[in-house]
């Protein structure tokens, strides 16, 4: 969408010259203590995580306001005429991201897509002491996850009804049957309301089996009984080559089961070998130690043929050697899926990133969090997406940085995003193009910064911090992700606007919840389709940690040109009535 012509170019130009500043870097204040990766536990009102926050809601349609100061700013910049409510409404309605149609094209083989994915989906809260609940599946699926995890165990109280839990922990359990029924009900509800998204998409079940032979037979029976014809239990007839992968479009809204396949000399679970984290307290360390010991002592399970047959297009393996990316997987099943922890995969990336990416162009990969992330914090997904890993399984319990980035990647989609061409069949496995780009982010201000009930508006000192994450291939065959932060100055009421003559009375001299920054933040970066920018509204609380009030993240290739209002979320992934007015400008370096 092009910008409206300026109605007062001289005034807008003068205003920009007086106030516009370009910040390429700003030193961190010594008293500032931050943990910007933190999020808060999701609740029933959370909508974000898998790309759904860009959808129209009653808040985005009826409750977004623009402060008087920002309206004056838009008029002085020549973006909209002063007092033109129709033009202002159109600008509010303009989406800040626009997903290219090719990103949601479903005509490619399944391994050529990123899949919005959840780890230990059944859990609420802590990984070793939380509770299991079927509503956790509803929460993940309704907010955009298309791959959920089920850990199935024999139920000693009723051997015909297996349970879902995190074994060898204090986590409570739910029945496997009720879990399947919940997933089925979500599928049916989505099918009855196709206008809510792009259309039907498959749901993948990452099944971690700990059941006996009898328990596995019950798993199969229950899935067939509950899912009925929704379950993909045989290869599609139209696929002539049984070894080839099916196109996403052919899968419709089927339930696809990822079944384990145990290789000879399979290594022990790499998650179990993770060392303790210094941030764990003694109780957490003991709980994780006990978990590891019991898991190592458990006898290996053998997948029965009836269950193995349900792994039609995805059989999960943990390789014992490097053949899977150097040549071809030894003794592997049809349609193998490499199931690896973030630690295990990171250890291979130093010189093998391109070969791993080329493997992932044809085969599926699932990356799960390392064992020390027991408080439900997350793996950093960008570097694994840059390897072409389709399924980055995130802890869906809190809306931290990784979940914000997941929301950005899958924004405006139904949980499946076509990978960049270099990461698909025929690509070279290199995520960066070699071209240099410059991003200039003009930051005008915000309206309605949400603050906690125990804070007064006049007490906060708001500023916007923006972090660019860009993956880069190295000359040694590795891959790194650069994190580059820029931030505005701290907004202080009266001073700037009074000097500019913009205040026009107390009604247009905004309080700190409606700050005006009018600054330009700039980055030079290596071009790729997996560059992201996280934006956080914070308060400069002297000699204390700086709290985060609102967040948003964007995939740079989605952003719309010109001025737009970015809708902000809180740390639980819930909508707010807050927005920031920004302008993305991308040019060659």
């Amino acid at each position: 969408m092009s910008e409206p012509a300026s109605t007062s170019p001289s005034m807008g130009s003068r205003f920009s010259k007086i106030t516009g500043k370009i910040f390429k870097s700003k030193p961190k204040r010594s008293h500032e203590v931050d943990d910007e990766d933190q999020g808060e536990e999701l609740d029933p009102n959370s909508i974000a995580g898998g790309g759904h926050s860009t959808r129209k809601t009653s808040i985005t349609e009826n409750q977004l306001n623009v402060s008087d100061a920002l309206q004056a700013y838009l008029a002085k910049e020549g973006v909209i005429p002063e007092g033109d409510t129709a033009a202002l409404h159109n600008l509010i309605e303009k989406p800040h991201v626009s997903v290219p149609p090719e990103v949601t094209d479903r005509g490619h083989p399944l391994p050529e897509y990123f899949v919005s994915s959840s780890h230990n989906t059944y859990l609420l809260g802590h990984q070793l002491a939380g509770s299991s609940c079927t509503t956790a599946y509803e929460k993940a699926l309704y907010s955009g996850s298309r791959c959920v995890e089920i850990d199935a165990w024999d139920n000693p109280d009723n051997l015909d009804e297996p349970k879902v839990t995190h074994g060898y922990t204090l986590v409570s359990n739910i029945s496997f049957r009720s879990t399947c029924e919940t997933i089925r009900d979500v599928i049916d509800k989505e099918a009855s309301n196709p206008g809510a998204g792009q259309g039907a998409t498959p749901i993948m079940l990452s099944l971690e089996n700990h059941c006996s032979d009898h328990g596995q037979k019950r798993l199969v029976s229950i899935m067939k009984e509950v899912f009925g014809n929704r379950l993909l239990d045989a290869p599609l007839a139209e696929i002539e080559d049984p070894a080839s992968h099916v196109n996403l479009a052919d899968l419709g809204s089927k339930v696809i089961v990822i079944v384990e396949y145990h290789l000879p000399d399979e290594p022990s679970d790499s998650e179990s070998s993770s060392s303790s984290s210094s941030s764990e307290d003694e109780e957490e360390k003991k709980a994780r130690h006990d978990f590891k010991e019991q898991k190592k002592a458990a006898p290996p399970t053998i997948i029965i043929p009836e269950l193995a047959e349900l792994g039609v297009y995805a059989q999960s393996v943990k390789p014992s050697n490097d053949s899977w990316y150097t040549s071809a997987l030894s003794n592997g099943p049809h349609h193998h899926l490499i199931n690896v922890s973030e630690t295990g995969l990171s250890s291979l990336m130093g010189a093998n990133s391109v070969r791993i990416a080329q493997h992932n162009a044809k085969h599926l990969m699932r990356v799960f969090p390392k064992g020390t992330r027991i408080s439900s914090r997350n793996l950093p997904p960008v570097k694994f997406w840059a390897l072409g890993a389709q399924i980055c399984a995130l802890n869906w319990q809190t809306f931290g940085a990784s979940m914000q980035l997941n929301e950005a990647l899958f924004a405006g989609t139904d949980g499946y995003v076509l990978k960049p061409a270099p990461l698909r069949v025929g690509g070279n496995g290199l995520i960066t193009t070699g071209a240099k780009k410059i991003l200039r982010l003009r930051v005008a201000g915000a309206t309605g910064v949400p603050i906690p009930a125990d804070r007064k508006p006049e007490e906060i000192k708001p500023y916007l911090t923006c972090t660019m994450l860009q993956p880069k291939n190295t000359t040694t065959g590795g891959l790194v992700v650069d994190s580059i932060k820029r931030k505005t100055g701290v907004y202080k009421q009266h001073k700037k606007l009074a000097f500019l003559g913009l205040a026009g009375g107390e009604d247009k001299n905004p309080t700190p919840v409606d700050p005006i920054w009018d600054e330009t933040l700039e980055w030079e970066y290596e071009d790729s389709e997996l560059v992201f920018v996280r934006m956080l509204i914070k308060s400069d609380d002297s000699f204390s940690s700086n709290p985060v009030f609102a967040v948003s993240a964007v995939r740079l290739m989605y952003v719309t040109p010109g001025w737009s209002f970015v809708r902000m979320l809180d740390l639980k992934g819930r909508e707010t009535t807050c927005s920031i007015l920004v302008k993305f400008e991308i040019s060659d370096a």
Side-chain angles (χ1 to χ4, degrees), residues 12-305:
S13 174
R14 178 173 61 83
F15 186 77
S16 295
K17 287 179 180 178
I18 295 174
T19 65
K21 304 180 188 123
I22 294 180
F23 284 75
K24 292 190 176 182
S25 65
K26 182 169 283 192
K28 194 178 184 76
R29 293 176 290 280
S30 59
H31 67 265
E32 184 178 348
V33 179
D34 289 318
D35 187 351
E36 295 183 350
D37 289 350
Q38 288 277 32
E40 295 178 4
E41 189 170 333
L42 278 69
D43 68 18
N45 294 316
S46 303
I47 64 166
H52 287 190
S53 69
T54 56
R55 295 182 177 182
K56 290 286 187 181
T57 69
S58 60
I59 289 180
T60 56
E61 290 185 340
N62 305 313
Q63 299 181 39
L64 291 180
N65 297 313
V66 180
S67 70
D68 290 339
L70 275 183
Q71 291 184 50
Y73 180 93
L74 288 167
K76 283 187 174 289
E77 285 290 297
V79 180
I80 60 174
E82 185 175 359
D84 190 334
T85 56
L88 179 62
H89 178 75
N90 289 338
L91 185 58
I92 294 173
E93 287 286 301
K94 174 188 173 183
H96 68 276
V97 295
S98 178
V99 180
E102 59 269 20
V103 169
T104 55
D105 174 15
R106 298 180 183 175
H108 295 258
L110 184 59
E112 299 197 0
Y113 294 87
F114 297 122
V115 186
S116 181
S117 306
S118 165
H119 173 252
N120 286 354
T121 312
Y122 48 87
L123 276 177
L124 297 174
H126 199 280
Q127 296 288 306
L128 300 184
S131 59
S132 301
C133 188
T134 56
T135 57
Y137 286 92
E138 290 181 334
K139 183 192 304 180
L141 292 168
Y142 283 139
S143 56
S145 178
R146 295 292 91 177
C147 180
V148 295
E149 183 174 12
I150 302 176
D151 288 4
W153 296 77
D154 285 330
N155 180 3
D157 296 327
N158 186 346
L159 293 177
D160 287 339
E161 294 291 338
K163 64 183 181 181
V164 176
T165 188
H166 200 185
Y168 315 120
T169 70
L170 300 177
V171 170
S172 61
N173 65 80
I174 51 179
S175 76
F176 182 78
R177 180 182 296 275
S178 65
T179 299
C180 293
E181 289 172 345
T182 298
I183 296 169
R184 176 202 62 197
D185 292 346
V186 171
I187 295 171
D188 291 349
K189 185 172 181 179
E190 290 183 342
S192 67
N193 189 23
Q198 303 287 337
T201 50
I203 291 178
M204 305 179 77
L205 306 184
S206 180
L207 182 62
E208 185 174 309
N209 169 66
H210 301 274
C211 292
S212 62
D213 288 2
H214 175 75
Q216 292 181 56
K217 290 178 181 178
R218 293 301 300 148
L219 296 179
V220 174
S221 296
I222 291 169
M223 284 191 283
K224 289 186 174 182
E225 175 188 340
V226 173
F227 293 131
N229 60 9
R230 305 170 190 82
L231 180 67
L232 183 70
D233 58 2
L236 298 177
E238 55 268 29
I239 306 300
E240 295 181 2
D241 181 2
S244 66
H245 261 287
V246 64
N247 281 0
L248 177 61
D250 296 327
L251 292 170
S253 57
K254 290 286 189 181
V255 174
I256 303 169
V257 185
I258 302 172
V259 178
E260 294 162 297
Y261 182 97
H262 296 293
L263 296 169
D265 302 319
E266 181 179 274
S268 61
D269 192 340
S270 57
E271 182 185 47
S272 300
S273 61
S274 299
S275 59
S276 295
S277 166
S278 59
S279 64
E280 292 179 87
D281 60 29
E282 289 305 315
E283 186 176 353
E284 285 183 326
K285 288 180 179 179
K286 183 180 185 305
R288 199 166 64 81
H289 175 269
D290 292 346
F291 169 75
K292 287 167 44 178
E293 292 303 312
Q294 291 184 70
K295 195 169 185 179
K296 283 194 294 185
T301 56
I302 305 299
I303 305 299
I304 65 170

